[in-house]
Amino acid sequence: MFQVPTKTQYAIRALVHLALKESDSAAKIAEAQMISPKYLEGILNQLKLAGIVTSDRGRSGGYRLAKSSEQIRMIDVVQATEGAIRPVDCVDNRSVCVMGATCIPRKFWIGLKTAVDDYLSSVTLKDLAGDTFVQIGKE
Amino acid sequence: MFQVPTKTQYAIRALVHLALKESDSAAKIAEAQMISPKYLEGILNQLKLAGIVTSDRGRSGGYRLAKSSEQIRMIDVVQATEGAIRPVDCVDNRSVCVMGATCIPRKFWIGLKTAVDDYLSSVTLKDLAGDTFVQIGKE
DNA sequence: CGATATTCCTATTATTCCGATAGGAATTGG
DNA sequence: CCAATTCCTATCGGAATAATAGGAATATCG
Ligand code: FES
Ligand code: FES
């Protein structure tokens, strides 16, 4: 359960790479991180649209972080690659629930979403890439 | 992201139903909870194997909770339908990581798993269904 | 007993999502 | 111009999920 798609795993590996290496091309990142190169291109483009990385085209182009690594929260990365955290559709839009207004499990799903959101919001790229990472989310 | 399979959503709906109605057949539960009947049969069987419900065959058979609802943690339900919480394979088995021993994101994934596990462990069926035992429309 | 309602078992199909690939257009530096 | 790059769009294959199908085993009741 809660298998995280490889797309998101790749995005995170690529960002860690950029945090350490400053700037690199998609092909170089793909090789170093063992990711399908063409697939990674699309992922980096999503990260760019989300304002997490910037890119330069042309001969000596490549990608770099758009902000400092402590400003990049993991929840933003996840949302860039997969959209909002939504264990079940109804957490955003109650009307999609077949059980109607009296639906009992809804609070439970919202609680789960909150738990995940809170954790992902609490960790930044710097926490991963630096040696200062501490495990948050467990109190 | 983190879309929860319908199987698990159905399992929870079915358990809420049983918590309120004490005993019912798969067909009745399916109708009340708007779940494909044959699909639900298989799900209830998984819950039985996990010791969450019990069943009686034959003419006036059906399913009932195997324990009181406060003893049924949601993490047990999720594990019964989907197996262990494992955002990425490496949280259980480090050797599957292509990046080897120096893998940086691993602590992050373990933290995510922990956040989800902790939440699911903290909620019981009773928390969802409430403690008032109500008989829903006797047939 | 015999009819019926149920769980239980196994196999198959349908659907959806994901990962990856393909080919090339646009851009830029040298 | 040329080469390296990002960027765009389309498609394919495979895996996982959801659902269906048919029936065997079991129990109840009249
Ligand atoms: S409102 Fe979410 S399952 Fe009903
Ligand atoms: S050990 Fe998990 S991604 Fe490397």
Side-chain angles (χ1 to χ4, degrees):
Chain A
M1 189 204 196
F2 290 127
Q3 186 91 13
V4 172
T6 62
K7 176 187 276 193
T8 297
Q9 301 182 40
Y10 293 166
I12 291 172
R13 294 228 295 272
L15 289 173
V16 167
H17 185 92
L18 288 176
L20 300 177
K21 194 127 197 298
E22 191 77 22
S23 173
D24 227 341
S25 72
K28 294 270 183 56
I29 300 171
E31 194 194 354
Q33 298 293 322
M34 304 206 241
I35 302 168
S36 160
K38 283 294 237 181
Y39 192 36
L40 181 61
E41 280 187 22
I43 295 168
L44 287 165
N45 204 253
Q46 283 186 273
L47 294 175
K48 181 194 173 172
L49 293 173
I52 295 170
V53 302
T54 59
S55 63
D56 293 299
R57 299 172 85 160
R59 174 144 189 170
S60 61
Y63 296 90
R64 70 185 63 239
L65 298 183
K67 332 172 196 178
S68 66
S69 63
E70 67 262 34
Q71 291 176 302
I72 298 176
R73 299 179 305 162
M74 298 316 287
I75 193 172
D76 299 321
V77 177
V78 166
Q79 284 177 346
T81 55
E82 301 183 46
I85 312 290
R86 188 188 304 159
V88 297
D89 291 343
C90 62
V91 301
D92 289 339
N93 179 7
R94 179 155 211 160
S95 68
V96 302
C97 178
V98 293
M99 300 309 295
T102 62
C103 179
I104 292 175
R106 185 163 190 263
K107 283 185 309 239
F108 168 68
W109 296 124
I110 292 176
L112 177 58
K113 172 188 163 59
T114 301
V116 173
D117 276 354
D118 286 351
Y119 174 71
L120 294 179
S121 299
S122 75
V123 181
T124 69
L125 180 57
K126 184 176 182 183
D127 295 325
L128 266 80
D131 50 343
T132 58
F133 182 74
V134 286
Q135 182 170 321
I136 316 172
K138 180 159 189 175
E139 345 233 318
Chain B
M1 190 208 194
F2 291 127
Q3 186 90 13
V4 172
T6 62
K7 176 186 277 194
T8 298
Q9 300 182 40
Y10 293 165
I12 290 172
R13 295 230 294 274
L15 289 173
V16 167
H17 185 92
L18 288 176
L20 300 176
K21 193 129 197 295
E22 191 176 14
S23 173
D24 225 343
S25 73
K28 294 270 181 54
I29 299 171
E31 193 193 356
Q33 300 289 323
M34 304 206 240
I35 302 168
S36 161
K38 284 294 236 180
Y39 193 36
L40 181 60
E41 280 186 22
I43 296 168
L44 286 165
N45 205 256
Q46 282 186 273
L47 294 175
K48 181 191 173 176
L49 293 174
I52 295 170
V53 302
T54 59
S55 63
D56 293 298
R57 300 172 83 158
R59 174 149 187 169
S60 60
Y63 295 90
R64 71 185 63 239
L65 298 182
K67 331 172 196 178
S68 66
S69 62
E70 67 262 33
Q71 292 175 303
I72 298 175
R73 299 179 306 162
M74 298 316 287
I75 194 172
D76 298 323
V77 177
V78 166
Q79 285 179 346
T81 56
E82 301 182 48
I85 313 290
R86 187 188 305 160
V88 297
D89 291 343
C90 62
V91 300
D92 289 339
N93 179 7
R94 180 153 210 160
S95 69
V96 302
C97 178
V98 292
M99 301 307 296
T102 63
C103 179
I104 292 176
R106 185 164 190 259
K107 279 181 301 204
F108 170 69
W109 296 126
I110 291 176
L112 177 57
K113 172 188 163 61
T114 302
V116 172
D117 275 356
D118 285 352
Y119 175 71
L120 293 179
S121 299
S122 74
V123 181
T124 68
L125 181 57
K126 184 176 180 182
D127 296 325
L128 267 80
D131 56 350
T132 23
F133 180 81
V134 182
Q135 287 229 322
I136 315 175
K138 248 183 167 170
E139 269 120 312

